Amino acid sequence: MNETIIEGPLYEARKKVYPQAVHGRFRRIKWAILIFALAVYYLLPFVRWDRGPGFPSQAVLVDFPHRRFYFFFIALWPQEVYYFTGLLIIAAMTLFLMNAVAGRVWCGYLCPQTVWTDLFYAVERLVEGDRRERIMSDKRGWTLTHIRQAVTKHFIWLMIAWWTGGAWVLYFSDAPTLVKDLATFQAPFIAYLWIAILTATTYVFAGHAREQVCIYMCPWPRIQAALTDEWALNVTYRVDRGEPRVSVKKAEQLRLHGEPAGDCIDCHQCINVCPTGVDIRDGIQLGCIQCGLCIDACDTVMSEIGRPTRLIAYDTDINGQRRQAGKPPVYRLIRARTILYAAIIAIVGSVMLYALATRRNMSVEVLHDRNPLFVLLSDGGVRNNYTVHILNKGPERSFALDVLGLPGAELHIPGTAPAADGKLAVEVGQDQTREVRLSVQVKSDMIPQDPVVIEIKATETATGQAAIAQDHFIPPNQ
Ligand code: SF4
Ligand code: SF4
């Protein structure tokens, strides 16, 4: 049997990328999104939201000790985790929809890895200069200037990474208090630990790993390859216009003689600005995060040489083929998959909105004792015992318990005397659940023949708001 011996390294060595500064429409969009996303991330924990006395006043808060998640006017309990399921479905479908419309638009503009790497590149350019200066500086080696610039750059990177970790922990506790505690070293150890972890990951991913995260670590490029189709807009080099590549001078001569000459002058500007070092002229590839910066670079070149812009543009595979066949482009944003994704988003979103709008801030659950099922009383009556859970998502208030469906029933809660109207009142603290043992008993002449369905009703004494739970009353000999 012949053996094939593969010589050479198994992995391609990393080629350091030195993205050049670029100006244009897509760069401006990216700056706007970067500023907005970072402002939201860093400042949101300080936004206040008045929920009344006793409740946290932070607009967005994950309150682990009390097992609550607060988002402005919404307060979710652990048993309402299905809202997160809904949110995850919407997030996934939104990602799919974005992909079906405009490829990896998430990767190019919105992904945290892209946003922070972009910020770190901006710092690098500010401190060490643009692409050419950075390449020259690396070639010169560790000169004093290089060392000073490197120290400054890494210090700023670490400060940004530290703020990133610091902002993260503020979502889990009252932000102003935690900032004070962190500064005076009185915050819990776990807060410092998380800041350290996020500082390290931000610094490594955005400062060092950069495009390697997108190319090798992230699963989304592989998933999106299975989700995209020939109608999705992707950053595309228009081969029909660009080829054959020739210099400006040569192109003029060729055109003068009526010979074909492409618009691409092989200036490599599209590669120089690319944050992942991709040559988009080789076609759509895994390394391309669809950020559109090569469009800006090429547009600048085309404007300078007096040729039409958008040699590189957002375009579809179908149009690539149509152009080569001399046919006009067609765009089809509304198609089966975009309709399906949009419909799922609309349906899940509507169900969630309806559930939120009709959500009650109290509920009651009841559980019949398994053993004994009933108790015969000395006067001939019968008693059934239950465990009742009253959930109060509002301020501290009182609930009157009542039983429906069992004529002549009397209620007892150990240690609680009935009110004047005969009903039992149970106090439940703010934002708490209370469990009570409830006995329901009937006299001998009111005992039903068969098990009957009963309803335990909890009515808020101040407002009359009520919640009902069903169970059974079980007579003897069952
Ligand atoms: S920037 Fe435009 S002209 Fe220059 S190499 Fe890229 S595609 Fe060709
Ligand atoms: S090839 Fe163009 S769109 Fe793709 S990552 Fe590079 S600059 Fe961005």
Side-chain angles (χ1 to χ4, degrees), residues 397-401 421 424-427 458-465:
R397 48 195 172 155
S398 171
F399 296 92
L401 286 185
D421 59 2
L424 289 165
V426 178
E427 298 289 329
T459 309
E460 193 202 344
T461 46
T463 62
Q465 185 188 4

Side-chain angles (χ1 to χ4, degrees), residues 73-249:
F73 60 92
I74 302 168
L76 295 183
W77 287 50
Q79 57 267 50
E80 293 173 312
V81 73
Y82 49 83
Y83 283 106
F84 293 104
T85 312
L87 273 181
L88 285 177
I89 294 171
I90 290 178
M93 288 301 131
T94 306
L95 214 50
F96 292 179
L97 181 61
M98 279 195 229
N99 181 268
V101 172
R104 288 170 66 185
V105 69
W106 162 263
C107 303
Y109 297 84
L110 297 159
C111 171
Q113 173 65 19
T114 297
V115 170
W116 262 268
T117 302
D118 223 9
L119 179 66
F120 276 45
Y121 270 134
V123 171
E124 190 170 82
R125 256 181 237 119
L126 195 72
V127 176
E128 297 182 340
D130 207 350
R131 175 183 160 82
R132 187 187 298 267
E133 287 88 52
R134 299 204 305 277
I135 293 173
M136 294 308 293
S137 181
D138 274 359
K139 274 190 183 152
R140 278 194 294 269
W142 290 104
T143 61
L144 267 180
T145 311
H146 193 164
I147 293 169
R148 182 177 48 76
Q149 286 175 336
V151 169
T152 311
K153 178 181 80 176
H154 287 281
F155 175 75
I156 300 173
W157 279 0
L158 278 167
M159 285 298 100
I160 296 172
W162 177 61
W163 272 108
T164 306
W168 175 256
V169 298
L170 299 183
Y171 285 90
F172 297 86
S173 188
D174 181 62
T177 313
L178 186 57
V179 168
K180 214 184 300 162
D181 290 350
L182 285 167
T184 53
F185 299 103
Q186 287 171 347
F189 171 74
I190 192 78
Y192 295 104
L193 182 66
W194 273 108
I195 291 175
I197 291 171
L198 275 131
T199 303
T201 49
T202 308
Y203 175 69
V204 170
F205 286 167
H208 296 276
R210 299 172 163 187
E211 80 287 347
Q212 305 283 297
V213 175
C214 310
I215 296 172
Y216 299 111
M217 291 170 66
C218 179
W220 180 233
R222 280 96 187 153
I223 297 169
Q224 77 107 34
L227 288 169
T228 198
D229 66 2
E230 66 276 27
W231 292 101
L233 288 166
N234 283 301
V235 175
T236 308
Y237 168 66
R238 288 173 169 163
V239 183
D240 56 299
R241 244 194 76 184
E243 303 296 322
R245 301 168 200 177
V246 281
S247 67
V248 182
K249 207 178 254 179

Side-chain angles (χ1 to χ4, degrees), residues 235 270 273-280 287-295 312:
V235 175
C270 49
V273 302
C274 178
T276 58
V278 158
D279 184 348
I280 193 64
C288 173
I289 58 168
Q290 304 278 316
C291 66
L293 295 183
C294 53
I295 303 179
I312 302 175

Side-chain angles (χ1 to χ4, degrees), residues 258-280:
E259 289 181 44
D263 279 342
C264 177
I265 58 168
D266 209 13
C267 64
H268 282 213
Q269 278 306 299
C270 49
I271 310 169
N272 293 348
V273 302
C274 178
T276 58
V278 158
D279 184 348
I280 193 64

